Amino acid sequence: MKYVIIGGVAGGASAAARLKRIQEDAEIVIFEKGEYISYANCGLPYYIGNTIEDRKKLFVQTPVSFGNRYDADVRTLNEVLSIDRANKTVKVKNLRNGKEYEESYDCLLLSPGALPIVPPLPGIDLPHIYTLRNVPDCDMIKQRAIEQLRDGAAAVIIGGGFIGLEMAENLQRIGYQVTVIEKAPHVLTPLDYPMAAIIQKHLQDKGVKVVTETALTGFTEKDGLLEVQTDKGGAYPCDMAILSIGVRPNTQLARDCGLEIGESGGVKVDAYMRTSDEAIYAVGDVIEFPHPVTGKPYCNFLAGPANAQARIAAMNMVYPESVRYSGSVTTAIAKIFELTAASTGLNERHLKQQGLSYQTVITHPAPFATYYPGGEPMHIKLNFNPETGRIYGAQAVGKLNVDKQIDTISLLLKHEGTIFDMINTEHAYAPPYGSAKSPVMFAGMVAENIMSGMMNPIQVEELDELLDKGEEIQLVDVREIQEYKTGTIADAENCPVDELRELMEDLDPEKKTVVFCEVGMRGYVAYRILKQSGFTQIYNLIGGMKTYRLIGKHNRG
C-alpha cells in the first residue's frame, strides 16, 4: 500500500509515524513545501524572545532522521501543485531545481495547514511587515529584532490573540517598546470580557500599550520607520509590525480537485477523517468538523487536535472505519508575562450566536490551600446550561494551576459533562497543590446554587445597566468596614455579614436588593440570611468587587 502525505509538522508527520507503526511494509512519501518536516511551531515566539536560546531545540526531527526512523521518503522543498483523483496521482514541483513530476498513490492524506490572513491594504507589501507561521518567518523576525534593537526600538502587533500576546511579551523581553492593536473590544477574544480585562490590565502594567476597538487601515513609511495606520486616525511608527489577525484553512488543492468544502471554509471530513473522496483523508488546520457542543462545523487551529486527528486518520487509512474522531472543544492556553490565560469550549459571544440559553458564574479561588504560602487567587469563569447544567465552556486566568483547572473542565466538556460532574470530581489534595474543595468543584457548587434556586445571581453588566437607568436599588456591601472604606459600588450601604442579622432592620425588605462582597462567598451567605428573612427581590453579585473593579462603571472610592 502506498500512502502519500501532503504536509508535515503536527498532522502529516504524526500520521506518517503512526502509519509505519501499524503497517511496517507501508510505502510512505511525504511532500513538504518548506524546508522542515517536524518542528515546534508553538515555540517560535520563545526563540525570538531568547527564552529558547538554541535554535536546534525547535526541531523535533530532521527530514533525514525522520526518514530513517520511519522508513519514509521525505521530500522537503517539494510542492504539490495538483491532485488527479481519477488517476490517483499528484503533480509535484521540486523547488530546488524547478522540475515537475507526478507521483501515484493508493491513499492520500491532506495536511497542508493554514495560511495567515494578510489583508490587501495600502502598504501591505512594505518591508518589515511579518507573519509568524513557520521557521523562515521566525528567522526573519529574529534577524530584524537583533539588527534594530536600540533605545526606543518599537514593534506593533496587529491582533491580540494568543500568539499576538506571546509575541508582545517576547519582543518586550528583549527590549522593544510594544503596542498591541486589536479590532475587537478586548484582547484574547476566546475569553469573555471579565477574564480578558485581567490580561489587558496586566499587559499595561508591564508597559505594553494596548489599543482596542481599532482597525488596521494600512502602512506607510516615514523618517526611515514603518508607520501603522488605523481607522481612529492614529499612526504608530515602528521598526517592525507583526500581523496576527488570524489564519484560514489552506484549501486550494482540495478545491481544485473538487473535494467538498464545508460551510465554515474547511475541507469537510467525516468521523474517520475521510473527505468526500474515499481515498483521500485530511487532518489539522485545513479541515472543519462539528463542534461537540453545538454540532455545527467549525475550523480549529490547534496542534493538539491535529495530532489526535493524525493518529485516527492513520488507523482508518489502514483499517477503514475503525476509529472515530469526537471533535475538539478548542482548549487553549498561553503564558502572558506573569499570568496564564486558558479557555475551553464556548464563550458568551458564541453562545449568543448559537442562540443558546446560558448562565455564568465567576469565582476567584486560591490555587492551593489559602494558609499555604505563595499563592495568589486565580479567576475562573464558567458558562453552563441553566436548565440541564451541561458545561458550555470555561476560562481561567492566574499565576498558578490554571492549566490544571481548564484541563479538568475540558475533559468533562468533551464527554457532555455537567456542573454536577464538576462537583463530583476527585482530585489529588495536599496544601501545596490544592484545596479540599478544588477550584473546579467550587465553581460547580456556585453554579448548582443558582440552578437549585439557592441563589439569584446578577452579573456586573446587568447591575451597571440598572444603575445607568437610575433604577432604585438597595446596594449592600457585606465586607468589613476596612474593606468598604477602600472603595465600593455607587451608594452602597455597609452591613458586614457577621453583623447583618442585627443591621438588616435598617434595610427595606420590599426593595430590589443587591448584596456583594469581595469575591462572592460572603455575599452568598448574606443572600441566604436576607432571603430567609423575608427579602423578596434579592441578588448576589457574581464575582464580587474583584470583578466589579475590573469592568464595572460605578466604582466609588
Side-chain angles (χ1 to χ4, degrees):
M1 190 79 164
K2 183 176 180 180
Y3 302 97
V4 167
I5 297 174
I6 302 175
V9 200
S14 296
R18 181 63 175 170
L19 278 169
K20 204 64 181 181
R21 284 194 289 267
I22 58 179
Q23 190 176 51
E24 174 59 27
D25 62 353
E27 181 183 354
I28 300 173
V29 182
I30 305 175
F31 293 111
E32 169 56 51
K33 181 180 178 181
E35 188 177 352
Y36 308 102
I37 186 68
S38 182
Y39 59 90
N41 194 298
C42 297
L44 300 180
Y46 299 100
Y47 171 64
I48 292 169
N50 293 334
T51 301
I52 299 170
E53 295 181 352
D54 186 354
R55 185 176 179 274
K56 293 179 182 177
K57 291 185 177 180
L58 295 172
F59 300 98
V60 181
Q61 292 270 12
T62 67
V64 172
S65 67
F66 189 93
N68 290 339
R69 176 166 296 180
Y70 297 107
D71 187 28
D73 183 357
V74 181
R75 304 182 195 175
T76 56
L77 294 175
N78 275 251
E79 180 183 6
V80 175
L81 302 177
S82 61
I83 300 168
D84 183 342
R85 292 166 52 195
N87 294 306
K88 288 191 173 181
T89 61
V90 293
K91 185 177 181 181
V92 187
K93 181 176 182 179
N94 186 323
L95 300 180
R96 291 182 175 90
N97 58 27
K99 293 182 178 179
E100 296 182 3
Y101 63 97
E102 287 189 348
E103 190 76 30
S104 65
Y105 66 84
D106 295 311
C107 192
L108 179 69
L109 177 69
L110 280 172
S111 181
L115 299 172
I117 295 173
V118 180
L121 297 172
I124 195 71
D125 295 322
L126 287 172
H128 315 310
I129 301 170
Y130 305 101
T131 57
L132 181 61
R133 284 293 295 172
N134 52 41
V135 174
D137 291 343
C138 176
D139 288 340
M140 287 190 290
I141 295 170
K142 178 89 168 179
Q143 182 178 355
R144 179 66 177 175
I146 293 170
E147 290 174 351
Q148 295 302 115
L149 186 57
R150 66 188 190 287
D151 288 342
V156 174
I157 315 291
I158 298 105
F162 285 109
I163 295 173
L165 297 190
E166 287 174 346
M167 280 303 304
E169 175 187 350
N170 280 282
L171 284 173
Q172 197 195 59
R173 187 175 187 270
I174 59 175
Y176 276 78
Q177 296 177 2
V178 179
T179 299
V180 175
I181 298 175
E182 171 57 56
K183 185 178 181 180
H186 60 79
V187 299
L188 286 186
T189 54
L191 275 62
D192 293 319
Y193 181 53
M195 296 291 105
I198 300 166
I199 294 297
Q200 203 156 293
K201 182 179 184 302
H202 186 60
L203 286 165
Q204 293 164 338
D205 290 344
K206 291 297 181 181
V208 174
K209 184 174 183 179
V210 179
V211 182
T212 58
E213 298 184 273
T214 301
L216 173 71
T217 57
F219 301 89
T220 58
E221 285 183 309
K222 185 178 180 181
D223 300 328
L225 292 175
L226 184 68
E227 272 199 350
V228 179
Q229 298 177 322
T230 70
D231 63 346
K232 297 296 175 64
Y236 299 87
C238 60
D239 297 279
M240 72 173 92
I242 297 176
L243 292 170
S244 185
I245 56 180
V247 296
R248 57 181 176 83
N250 185 6
T251 58
Q252 194 61 54
L253 281 172
R255 290 177 185 274
D256 289 348
C257 74
L259 291 179
E260 186 175 355
I261 305 299
E263 61 186 80
S264 64
V267 174
K268 189 173 183 178
V269 296
D270 62 16
Y272 307 106
M273 314 314 301
R274 188 173 47 197
T275 69
S276 53
D277 184 321
E278 290 192 356
I280 302 178
Y281 291 72
V283 298
D285 295 352
V286 76
I287 72 164
E288 69 170 34
F289 197 83
H291 192 283
V293 176
T294 67
K296 295 185 178 180
Y298 79 113
C299 297
N300 177 15
F301 307 108
L302 294 170
N307 274 282
Q309 294 158 13
R311 181 183 176 90
I312 290 169
M315 284 295 295
N316 290 317
M317 290 164 78
V318 178
Y319 305 109
E321 299 189 6
S322 59
V323 184
R324 296 175 66 90
Y325 180 54
S326 61
S328 167
V329 292
T330 321
T331 305
I333 193 167
K335 173 188 175 296
I336 300 158
F337 290 99
E338 295 173 8
L339 292 180
T340 298
S343 66
T344 187
L346 303 176
N347 59 20
E348 289 194 58
R349 177 169 57 88
H350 287 123
L351 288 166
K352 289 173 183 175
Q353 287 174 348
Q354 299 297 329
L356 294 171
S357 173
Y358 68 93
Q359 183 57 268
T360 284
V361 299
I362 297 174
T363 59
H364 306 281
F368 40 69
T370 54
Y371 55 82
Y372 191 86
E376 293 184 24
M378 70 176 73
H379 316 274
I380 294 178
K381 186 173 188 292
L382 172 69
N383 300 327
F384 64 99
N385 185 314
E387 296 178 359
T388 67
R390 183 177 179 182
I391 303 164
Y392 281 152
Q395 302 142 35
V397 174
K399 289 187 176 181
L400 296 169
N401 289 349
V402 167
D403 55 337
K404 182 178 178 180
Q405 317 312 321
I406 287 297
D407 286 347
T408 301
I409 297 173
S410 172
L411 182 61
L412 294 173
L413 179 55
K414 280 210 70 170
H415 291 83
E416 300 186 13
T418 67
I419 62 169
F420 309 107
D421 295 314
M422 291 174 65
I423 296 169
N424 290 316
T425 54
E426 185 173 342
H427 60 284
Y429 161 58
Y433 303 104
S435 302
K437 292 179 183 176
S438 75
V440 170
M441 291 174 66
F442 189 73
M445 290 173 179
V446 175
E448 184 194 36
N449 286 338
I450 294 172
M451 280 192 64
S452 65
M454 288 286 286
M455 182 181 74
N456 198 10
I458 187 168
Q459 305 291 334
V460 169
E461 298 90 341
E462 293 173 324
L463 175 57
D464 275 348
E465 186 177 346
L466 295 176
L467 293 172
D468 288 343
K469 291 178 179 177
E471 187 165 333
E472 190 175 355
I473 303 171
Q474 191 166 230
L475 285 167
V476 184
D477 186 336
V478 300
R479 297 174 299 161
E480 296 300 314
I481 183 66
Q482 295 88 348
E483 297 173 276
Y484 175 76
K485 287 180 178 179
T486 65
T488 190
I489 303 173
D491 298 317
E493 301 178 54
N494 183 221
C495 298
V497 66
D498 294 337
E499 304 169 37
L500 184 59
R501 290 178 178 87
E502 292 76 33
L503 296 175
M504 68 179 178
E505 293 181 0
D506 297 326
L507 301 176
D508 184 350
E510 300 299 324
K511 187 179 289 187
K512 182 176 287 187
T513 302
V514 175
V515 295
F516 62 93
C517 62
E518 185 63 20
V519 298
M521 184 61 200
R522 286 174 290 175
Y524 172 58
V525 174
Y527 176 96
R528 294 306 304 161
I529 292 171
L530 295 177
K531 182 70 174 177
Q532 296 176 90
S533 299
F535 283 70
T536 56
Q537 298 185 74
I538 184 165
Y539 305 84
N540 183 25
L541 180 64
I542 292 295
M545 276 300 297
K546 191 174 284 290
T547 298
Y548 196 88
R549 284 191 203 96
L550 283 166
I551 63 173
K553 298 192 294 185
H554 296 271
N555 285 291
R556 191 194 80 198

